[in-house]
């Protein structure tokens, strides 16, 4: 077996050289770590013929050093590195049962076996892993199959060249990142200077144009062509809008003057018509005809009064129903030669109810007709009394109540005065239908007219 081999028969007393054919089975290889140097023990089962001529089972045991000291001393296990800056690498033998054993004489990495590394190797041995590689605290560990259950672990550190390469790589990455950051900053500054600031100035110039009517953007000369084109487009648009606005302003002024003139003429014409009717009534000798003229005069005057309240300065205004009804009632009392504190008194209880112009016309004519009839026919023979006008809101709309404490209505009477009152009632009922309301008349004590009508939304019209 050579000088490093030892043959140990199973029966040393009768051991003789084998003279019969031996039959070997698969050898058993084992690494022995006892002693100053690790040994490889190979056990080969065999049969041999002893001195008595019998076939006996035995074992052939061979021992040899794992590392040949002569080859190590002669330098045949190692090849000197051509690059003196190569990293250090040590070889260790690990079986999982004992501490790692160094396979290299001069170890370059002192004490590489921390608790974490040993635990990792123990877990690999328990999982029957033959190969593995990992890194702990800058030291790299590579495990490879060895002899039998033993495994060879290469422990190495990064070389100077590798460290320099890594540092160079990180420096280049940082340089690229820095260049990108600088480029992004330059792009952001350029965008701020040539895009954002000009657009903000254009927006401010448009706002100033809306407030003061002048569009004068103060933009720098070095601008992209698109921004310059946008500035020119804004300038042309604002000039066209200014001209159009000036034309609209002139047209609006002319329209306002025309509307004021129309309303002024309508108001004057209504007053002239009322005056003509009054003059014509005074020239008529027949009392019945004169009274009819007076009734028409009162209706025209009520329309003139309503027109003055709806169009105070030539423009449409929200109707102050309280002030309008107070003036209208006083006007009716004056036209019928009555005063508020005289024989017949007037009381008003008016709430602020929104009334549209379409509702105001029939409402004013109803008030004129009912109050006029009350003053003329409810208090004969110097009878004293009162007339009350109330306007209030309810859940569905508004309620107008006109009440007097006079003699009341008598449906069976056929006097001329009552015939005229019947004509007035027809007008009142027609105006009530025009308002979309319901009219109730109660003459148990005096006469009470109750008109319930819906409230329509008031449309604001600016002329």
């Amino acid at each position: 077996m050579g000088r490093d081999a030892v043959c140990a028969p199973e029966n040393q007393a009768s051991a003789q050289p084998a003279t019969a054919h031996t039959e070997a089975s698969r050898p058993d290889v084992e690494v022995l770590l006892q002693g100053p140097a690790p040994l490889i023990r190979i056990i080969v089962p065999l049969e041999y013929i002893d001195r008595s001529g019998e076939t006996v089972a035995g074992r052939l045991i061979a021992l040899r050093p794992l590392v040949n000291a002569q080859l190590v001393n002669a330098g045949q296990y190692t090849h000197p590195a051509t690059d003196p800056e190569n990293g250090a690498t040590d070889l260790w033998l690990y079986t999982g049962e004992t501490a790692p054993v160094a396979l290299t004489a001069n170890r370059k990495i002192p004490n590489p076996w921390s608790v974490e590394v040993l635990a990792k190797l123990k877990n690999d041995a328990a999982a029957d892993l033959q190969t593995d590689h990992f890194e702990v605290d800058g030291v790299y560990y590579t495990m490879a199959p060895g002899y039998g259950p033993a495994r060879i672990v290469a422990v190495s550190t990064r070389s100077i060249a590798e460290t320099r390469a890594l540092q160079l790589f990180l420096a280049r990455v940082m340089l690229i990142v820095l260049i990108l950051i600088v480029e992004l900053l330059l792009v952001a500054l350029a965008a701020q200077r040539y895009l954002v600031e000009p657009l903000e100035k254009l927006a401010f110039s448009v706002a100033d144009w809306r407030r003061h009517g002048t569009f004068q953007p103060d933009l720098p000369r070095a601008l992209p062509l698109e921004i310059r084109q946008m500035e020119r487009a804004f300038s042309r648009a604002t000039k066209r809008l200014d001209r159009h606005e000036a034309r609209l302003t002139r047209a609006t002024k002319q329209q306002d003057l025309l509307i004021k003139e129309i309303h002024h003429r309508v108001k004057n014409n209504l007053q002239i018509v009322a005056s003509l009717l009054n003059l014509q009534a005074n020239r008529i000798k027949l009392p019945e005809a004169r009274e009819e003229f007076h009734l028409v005069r009162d209706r025209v005057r009520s329309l003139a009064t309503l027109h003055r309240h709806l169009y105070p300065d030539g423009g449409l205004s929200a109707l102050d129903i309280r002030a309008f009804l107070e003036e209208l009632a006083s006007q009716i009392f004056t036209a019928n030669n009555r005063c508020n504190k005289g024989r017949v008194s007037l009381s008003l209880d008016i709430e602020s109810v929104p009334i549209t112009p379409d509702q105001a016309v029939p409402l004013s004519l109803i008030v004129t007709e009912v109050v006029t009839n009350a003053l003329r026919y409810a208090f004969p023979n110097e009878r004293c009394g009162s007339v009350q006008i109330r306007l209030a809101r309810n859940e569905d709309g508004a309620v107008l109540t006109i009440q007097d404490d006079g003699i009341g209505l008598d449906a069976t009477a056929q006097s001329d005065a009552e015939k005229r009152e019947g004509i007035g009632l027809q007008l009142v009922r027609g105006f009530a239908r025009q308002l979309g309301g319901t009219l109730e008349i109660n003459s148990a004590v005096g006469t009470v007219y109750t008109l319930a009508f819906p409230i329509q939304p008031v449309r604001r019209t600016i002329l």
Side-chain angles (χ1 to χ4, degrees):
M1 299 297 296
R3 62 178 182 173
D4 294 329
V6 178
C7 181
E10 206 172 58
N11 190 355
Q12 295 291 340
S14 58
Q16 296 293 335
T19 58
H21 176 72
T22 61
E23 183 179 355
S25 62
R26 185 176 180 179
D28 184 11
V29 180
E30 185 180 3
V31 178
L32 301 179
L33 301 179
Q34 292 83 3
L39 300 176
I40 298 177
R41 183 175 66 181
I42 303 175
I43 302 176
V44 181
L46 52 79
E47 294 180 353
Y48 66 96
I49 300 174
D50 62 359
R51 294 176 182 179
S52 61
E54 296 181 358
T55 301
V56 180
R59 291 182 299 172
L60 179 63
I61 301 175
L63 297 174
R64 67 173 298 169
L66 181 62
V67 178
N68 195 323
Q70 294 179 357
L71 295 178
V72 171
N73 295 330
Q76 298 183 15
Y77 272 176
T78 59
H79 298 280
T82 57
D83 185 3
E85 296 182 349
N86 281 337
T89 301
D90 294 335
L91 296 179
W92 295 75
L93 188 66
Y94 179 74
T95 61
E97 298 178 354
T98 60
V101 177
L103 296 179
T104 53
N106 299 322
R107 294 189 295 273
K108 300 178 181 179
I109 304 173
N111 194 18
W113 304 106
S114 62
V115 177
E116 182 180 357
V117 174
L118 293 176
K120 177 64 177 174
L121 292 177
K122 187 174 181 180
N123 292 334
D124 291 344
D128 197 18
L129 293 178
Q130 297 297 321
T131 59
D132 193 9
H133 60 276
F134 53 91
E135 181 265 338
V136 176
D137 296 334
V139 180
Y140 299 89
Y141 299 84
T142 303
M143 184 177 67
Y147 298 94
R151 294 170 178 80
I152 298 175
V153 180
V155 182
S156 61
T157 58
R158 188 182 294 117
S159 66
I160 298 176
E162 292 173 342
T163 303
R164 289 178 179 176
L166 179 60
Q167 293 175 352
L168 180 61
F169 172 76
L170 294 177
R172 289 179 178 178
V173 170
M174 294 299 295
L175 179 60
I176 293 173
V177 173
L178 182 60
I179 292 174
L180 289 176
I181 292 174
V182 172
E183 289 179 351
L184 289 176
L185 290 176
L186 292 176
V187 170
L189 291 175
Q192 178 70 23
R193 178 68 176 85
Y194 295 104
L195 291 178
V196 177
E197 289 183 359
L199 292 177
E200 289 180 350
K201 289 183 178 180
L202 282 177
F204 291 151
S205 300
V206 171
D208 290 338
W209 168 73
R210 294 180 63 183
R211 289 192 298 266
H212 308 295
T214 56
F215 181 76
Q216 295 178 352
D218 185 15
L219 300 181
R221 295 183 177 275
L223 283 179
L225 179 61
E226 292 79 4
I227 302 297
R228 284 294 181 189
Q229 292 177 350
M230 185 181 298
E231 178 192 3
R232 298 189 188 100
F234 272 81
S235 299
R236 291 192 295 268
T238 52
K239 290 178 181 178
R240 286 196 298 267
L241 288 174
D242 288 337
R243 292 193 297 267
H244 184 62
E245 185 177 358
R247 289 195 298 268
L248 289 178
T249 302
R250 291 192 299 269
T252 302
K253 290 181 179 179
Q254 293 176 358
Q255 184 181 8
D256 291 341
L257 292 175
L258 180 60
I259 290 175
K260 289 180 180 180
E261 181 65 22
I262 291 173
H263 290 314
H264 180 70
R265 289 184 178 275
V266 169
K267 180 177 63 175
N268 290 342
N269 290 337
L270 289 175
Q271 292 175 354
I272 291 172
V273 170
S275 300
L276 291 175
L277 289 173
N278 190 38
L279 290 175
Q280 189 66 34
N282 292 331
R283 295 176 59 87
I284 295 176
K285 302 299 182 179
L286 190 63
E288 292 81 359
R290 186 168 56 251
E291 290 181 1
E292 292 297 336
F293 270 87
H294 286 164
L295 288 174
V296 176
R297 178 204 61 191
D298 293 341
R299 292 164 187 159
V300 174
R301 283 181 176 175
S302 67
L303 292 178
T305 303
L306 175 62
H307 191 275
R308 187 171 63 255
H309 279 267
L310 283 176
Y311 307 98
D313 296 323
L316 181 61
S317 175
L319 178 62
D320 186 356
I321 191 64
R322 185 196 304 271
F324 168 66
L325 290 180
E326 289 178 355
E327 182 177 350
L328 180 62
S330 300
Q331 180 177 294
I332 296 172
F333 266 65
T334 302
N336 289 274
N337 298 321
R338 298 285 192 273
C339 60
N340 187 9
K341 301 301 182 180
R343 182 168 57 85
V344 180
S345 62
L346 172 67
S347 63
L348 294 95
D349 183 10
I350 309 299
E351 294 184 5
S352 296
V353 178
I355 301 296
T356 64
D358 294 335
Q359 290 179 316
V361 173
L363 192 65
S364 63
L365 293 175
I366 288 174
V367 173
T368 301
E369 198 67 34
V370 174
V371 175
T372 300
N373 286 341
L375 294 178
R376 291 186 177 184
Y377 310 117
F379 307 100
N381 303 323
E382 301 299 322
R383 181 189 177 103
C384 296
S386 64
V387 177
Q388 298 178 359
I389 301 176
R390 292 190 299 273
L391 179 64
R393 302 188 63 166
N394 58 10
E395 295 180 357
D396 300 328
V399 177
L400 174 66
T401 304
I402 305 175
Q403 179 180 2
D404 65 75
D405 54 359
I407 60 174
L409 296 176
D410 188 357
T412 61
Q414 295 295 328
S415 65
D416 294 337
E418 288 164 350
K419 290 180 181 179
R420 284 192 295 271
E421 188 178 13
I423 296 174
L425 281 176
Q426 293 178 8
L427 293 176
V428 171
R429 294 186 188 276
F431 293 141
R433 287 192 299 270
Q434 185 177 349
L435 284 171
T438 59
L439 177 65
E440 295 181 1
I441 302 175
N442 186 1
S443 59
V445 179
T447 305
V448 180
Y449 293 82
T450 304
L451 173 63
F453 60 95
I455 296 177
Q456 298 178 0
V458 179
R459 292 176 296 178
R460 302 289 183 180
T461 304
I462 301 175
L463 299 178

